[in-house]
Amino acid sequence: VPSRLMRWAASDWWNSESPQWSHSFGDTGSRSGDVGPERCSGKLLAATSQWHSRALQAQIQNAGYVSDQLFQEFLASPGICDDIFGNYVVQKLLQYASPTQIKHAFVALKARDLGRLSRHQFGCRVVQALVDRLDQRDIVQFCALVRGQIPELTTHPSANHVLQRLLQKMPQLQLQTVVAELRGKVVELGCDLHGCRVLQRMVETCEGDVLDPVLDEVLDNAEALCESQLAIC
């Protein structure tokens, strides 16, 4: 959402275009736009509507932080992660959350099954936002959670985006594990609409001889790959 529209959502829309929304937040008629996260407390579930989602995103972005009360509401309502409009609010929450809050979010989303959420059309966006904020120790934990699922995630229309983001933050040791899981499947993945993107990301992120098993398969099957519209990319 453009920043000008975000400010509009936080002030003009807040007071004039949606009187019910203003009333529910206890609006006093001020048009200053000074509507921090504390005023959003108790209203997170309203983010499942498009207008309310935009307004909440504006509050968080304008404040530049996430109040503890609002964050606790998120932890108590994890279902909002895979909502068509609510997922955008969660992404904004994760963007501005403190390192401690991110730790709690990781624990909460692990309990909800990060693999399942990664496969969800909207939930995958939340997982990508989470990966962006995780430290190396938590990235390693995330890798352990999806171990054995890499081939499936690679070709999934939603989860492949999560895996690509994860590859960009993985230590080389974990990248070796990913390479091992994809060994023998390079031709199939290289010709797949989603798998080819993950292979490209691997080429960009793997260092040294980590990628050698994949490169060997590429060379051994160069003719077949060259005939694929996707693999040649």
Side-chain angles (χ1 to χ4, degrees):
V1 180
S3 58
R4 183 174 61 182
L5 186 58
M6 298 281 278
R7 289 193 295 272
W8 185 22
S11 55
D12 286 2
W13 284 6
W14 185 277
N15 294 288
S16 63
E17 290 199 10
S18 184
Q20 290 184 344
W21 177 245
S22 301
H23 178 72
S24 67
F25 270 75
D27 186 69
T28 58
S30 169
R31 301 178 67 84
S32 66
D34 183 16
V35 283
E38 288 81 1
R39 288 188 61 189
C40 301
S41 297
K43 301 297 182 289
L44 186 61
L45 291 180
T48 54
S49 80
Q50 185 176 26
W51 189 93
H52 297 135
S53 173
R54 289 179 174 178
L56 276 168
Q57 291 174 66
Q59 315 319 314
I60 297 167
Q61 180 168 311
N62 291 343
Y65 73 98
V66 179
S67 69
D68 289 337
Q69 186 174 351
L70 182 61
F71 195 79
Q72 288 302 318
E73 289 174 25
F74 155 63
L75 295 180
S77 309
I80 198 172
C81 294
D82 47 26
D83 181 78
I84 185 172
F85 300 122
N87 81 88
Y88 290 107
V89 175
V90 178
Q91 289 180 65
K92 194 67 67 174
L93 280 169
L94 294 174
Q95 180 182 349
Y96 288 97
S98 68
T100 299
Q101 288 172 332
I102 289 296
K103 291 283 187 182
H104 290 306
F106 184 40
V107 172
L109 294 179
K110 278 194 299 184
R112 187 167 169 76
D113 188 352
L114 282 168
R116 185 206 65 80
L117 201 58
S118 297
R119 296 178 182 88
H120 193 278
Q121 179 181 1
F122 307 122
C124 70
R125 302 170 184 172
V126 170
V127 180
Q128 290 175 72
L130 176 67
V131 169
D132 285 342
R133 295 294 313 279
L134 293 179
D135 59 27
Q136 282 292 292
R137 178 176 295 183
D138 288 336
I139 287 292
V140 171
Q141 285 190 38
F142 196 127
C143 294
L145 290 173
V146 298
R147 187 173 299 153
Q149 304 177 48
I150 299 299
E152 180 187 352
L153 297 178
T154 300
T155 56
H156 193 278
S158 298
N160 82 88
H161 297 290
V162 173
L163 185 55
Q164 289 183 64
R165 194 69 61 89
L166 198 57
L167 287 170
Q168 293 176 306
K169 297 196 66 174
M170 277 185 189
Q172 292 298 307
L173 182 60
Q174 276 64 45
L175 284 169
Q176 287 180 336
T177 302
V178 173
V179 170
E181 286 199 45
L182 298 183
R183 196 165 186 171
K185 302 179 177 68
V186 172
V187 176
E188 174 188 349
L189 297 177
C191 299
D192 181 83
L193 177 62
H194 310 297
C196 67
R197 301 171 184 174
V198 174
L199 290 181
Q200 290 175 60
R201 194 70 65 202
M202 289 176 62
V203 171
E204 295 169 0
T205 55
C206 291
E207 300 175 359
D209 59 358
V210 172
L211 198 63
D212 283 358
V214 171
L215 296 179
D216 288 341
E217 284 189 57
V218 170
L219 294 175
D220 290 343
N221 299 276
E223 183 176 353
L225 291 170
C226 286
E227 293 175 353
S228 169
Q229 183 177 5
L230 296 171
I232 60 174
C233 296

